[in-house]
């Protein structure tokens, strides 16, 4: 077997008994060759130990071979965004594409535009200039959830119907006996937050319930969660359920409930708008909405890579499903 460094496209063409053009098309997934020919050429390339020169390939295509990942500020330690990030990396690695973390600063945005072929941005916060900045630079952008400003022909969005997931969760609580659910929300500076608030207020109006809500930052501290939870629980009449949005905040609600002499799952139903392993390890285990962030990250990266390969074909729009996981914190039947 020849060494990796020695194997060239010409070597593969000779061994596979096809032209160099056919080998390039088969290995690059861009040319018009049959599936059988593509499979044959790739099998020969693997047998010979061929390793493509990715840098040269990117240079020929006027690409950098990297994509950017834009997260909300100060959320990198939260389980949802960690899983989303791994999903982006999973999909990018399939095409030998690197992932670069970026921020909202003008300098970072300009630098990222120079060194990447496109950007994935999740949970855009109102006022973040990244969409307009990237569009002015003609850089492809895929957002996880919609932003205030729609993406253009070089963009797309993967989103979930959080309003409907909130209505489903509140209907579940109603069937478990809740008539006064409170809501610990993430504010309304993101599409996720606005959609959850809209669902909560719609449900309250439908059932003639006075809304009882408080907002928390995405990265709220334990002290913040305790303070806002106690505020909700001290409303008269006391809520019989609390729905928590920010990732991990339901744990703080359990602590506040115990401080008020309440037993979660019995005196107070508790549910989370974000599922994670922490929700499953809590006592009691917490009913949560499964958002499948790793899969969503994979879908966002996949859409971006397709947009990079087919520029100007957007905007693309795909819905990502959610699922309600019922556990002991909402008194399952």
């Amino acid at each position: 077997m020849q060494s990796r460094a020695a194997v060239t496209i010409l070597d593969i063409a000779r061994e596979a008994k096809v032209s160099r053009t056919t080998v390039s098309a088969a290995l690059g997934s861009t040319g018009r060759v049959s599936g059988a020919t593509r499979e044959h050429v790739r099998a020969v390339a693997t047998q010979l130990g061929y390793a493509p020169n990715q840098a040269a390939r990117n240079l020929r295509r006027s690409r950098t071979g990297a994509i950017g990942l834009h997260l909300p500020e100060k959320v990198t330690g939260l389980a949802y965004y960690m899983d989303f990030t791994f999903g982006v990396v999973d999909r990018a690695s399939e095409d030998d594409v690197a992932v670069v973390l970026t921020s909202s600063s003008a300098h970072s945005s300009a630098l990222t535009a120079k060194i990447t072929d496109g950007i994935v941005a999740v949970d855009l916060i109102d006022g973040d200039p990244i969409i307009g900045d990237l569009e002015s630079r003609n850089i492809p952008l895929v957002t996880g959830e919609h932003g205030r400003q729609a993406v253009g022909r070089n963009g797309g969005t993967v989103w979930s119907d959080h309003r409907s997931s909130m209505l489903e969760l509140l209907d579940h609580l109603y069937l478990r006996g809740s008539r006064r659910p409170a809501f610990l929300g993430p504010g309304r500076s993101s599409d996720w937050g606005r959609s959850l608030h809209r669902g909560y207020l719609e449900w309250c109006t439908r059932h003639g319930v006075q809304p009882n809500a408080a907002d928390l930052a995405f990265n709220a501290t334990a002290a913040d969660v305790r303070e806002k939870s106690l505020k909700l629980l001290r409303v008269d009449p006391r809520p019989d359920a609390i729905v928590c949005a920010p990732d991990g905040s339901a744990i703080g609600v359990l602590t506040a409930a115990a401080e008020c002499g309440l037993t979660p799952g019995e005196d107070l139903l508790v549910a989370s708008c974000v599922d994670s392993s922490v929700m499953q390890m809590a006592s009691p285990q917490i009913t949560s909405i499964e958002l499948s962030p790793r899969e969503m990250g994979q879908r966002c990266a996949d859409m971006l890579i397709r947009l990079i390969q087919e520029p100007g074909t957007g905007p693309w729009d795909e819905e990502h499903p959610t699922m309600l996981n019922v556990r002991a914190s909402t008194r399952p039947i």
Side-chain angles (χ1 to χ4, degrees):
M1 181 179 292
Q2 301 181 57
S3 67
R4 285 181 178 273
V7 178
T8 67
I9 287 179
L10 182 58
D11 296 324
I12 299 171
R14 288 170 176 165
E15 184 70 19
K17 295 180 174 55
V18 297
S19 69
R20 292 180 59 179
T21 301
T22 298
V23 173
S24 295
L27 296 180
S29 303
T30 56
R32 294 183 178 180
V33 296
S34 69
T37 299
R38 191 185 310 279
E39 185 176 339
H40 171 60
V41 169
R42 291 184 174 183
V44 170
T46 300
Q47 179 184 359
L48 295 178
Y50 173 71
N53 187 330
Q54 193 65 36
R57 178 181 294 178
N58 290 330
L59 185 61
R60 289 193 299 272
R61 297 175 179 175
S62 299
R63 296 178 189 164
T64 67
I67 60 175
L69 174 58
H70 183 75
L71 304 175
E73 295 289 340
K74 302 177 182 179
V75 300
T76 51
L78 299 181
Y80 176 89
Y81 296 102
M82 291 293 290
D83 286 345
F84 183 92
T85 298
F86 282 121
V88 171
V89 173
D90 286 344
R91 176 60 186 89
S93 64
E94 292 178 10
D95 279 37
D96 295 322
V97 171
V99 178
V100 178
L101 194 62
T102 184
S103 74
S104 298
S105 73
H107 174 74
S108 177
S109 179
L111 177 61
T112 303
K114 292 179 181 178
I115 64 176
T116 66
D117 300 313
I119 289 183
V120 169
V122 61
D123 284 334
L124 282 171
I125 303 300
D126 294 349
D128 192 319
I130 189 170
I131 291 184
D133 187 48
L134 292 178
E135 285 191 340
S136 69
R137 300 173 188 274
N138 204 33
I139 302 297
L141 170 69
V142 167
T143 63
E145 309 300 348
H146 292 100
R148 287 284 195 188
Q149 184 177 345
V151 298
R153 288 182 57 79
N154 273 338
T157 299
V158 181
W159 59 280
S160 294
D161 188 352
H162 300 293
R163 168 190 161 275
S164 294
S165 66
M166 171 62 88
L167 291 171
E168 180 185 7
L169 174 54
L170 291 169
D171 284 344
H172 162 74
L173 295 177
Y174 188 87
L175 291 174
R176 296 306 192 266
S178 173
R179 298 297 182 267
R180 299 182 305 278
F183 178 44
L184 197 55
R188 305 177 201 190
S189 61
S190 68
D191 187 66
W192 177 55
R194 285 189 292 273
S195 297
L196 291 175
H197 273 281
R198 187 162 58 250
Y200 175 69
L201 294 177
E202 182 179 325
W203 190 92
C204 288
T205 299
R206 183 185 304 170
H207 290 270
V209 173
Q210 180 65 36
N212 178 14
D215 289 338
L216 278 173
F218 280 19
N219 60 333
T221 66
D224 293 334
V225 177
R226 174 184 175 276
E227 178 185 351
K228 295 295 180 68
S229 299
L230 290 175
K231 180 180 179 181
L232 293 178
L233 290 171
R234 287 167 179 161
V235 171
D236 187 20
R238 177 182 62 76
D240 51 22
I242 294 183
V243 176
C244 321
D247 192 358
S249 59
I251 301 300
V253 174
L254 298 184
T255 302
E259 189 172 331
C260 294
L262 303 173
T263 302
E266 297 180 16
D267 306 312
L268 180 73
L269 307 186
V270 180
S272 171
C273 295
V274 183
D275 202 0
S276 69
S277 59
V278 174
M279 300 298 106
Q280 300 172 49
M281 293 187 291
S283 182
Q285 292 186 328
I286 298 173
T287 291
S288 305
I289 298 173
E290 175 57 68
L291 302 178
S292 303
R294 190 158 189 154
E295 289 77 6
M296 188 173 194
Q298 291 170 343
R299 292 185 65 177
C300 286
D302 181 72
M303 180 182 285
L304 179 60
I305 290 170
R306 286 185 284 129
L307 274 166
I308 291 169
Q309 295 172 345
E310 304 172 38
T313 58
W316 293 352
D317 192 84
E318 296 179 4
E319 183 175 357
H320 182 64
T322 65
M323 180 178 67
L324 181 62
N325 291 326
V326 177
R327 302 190 180 103
S329 68
T330 58
R331 199 186 299 133
I333 295 174

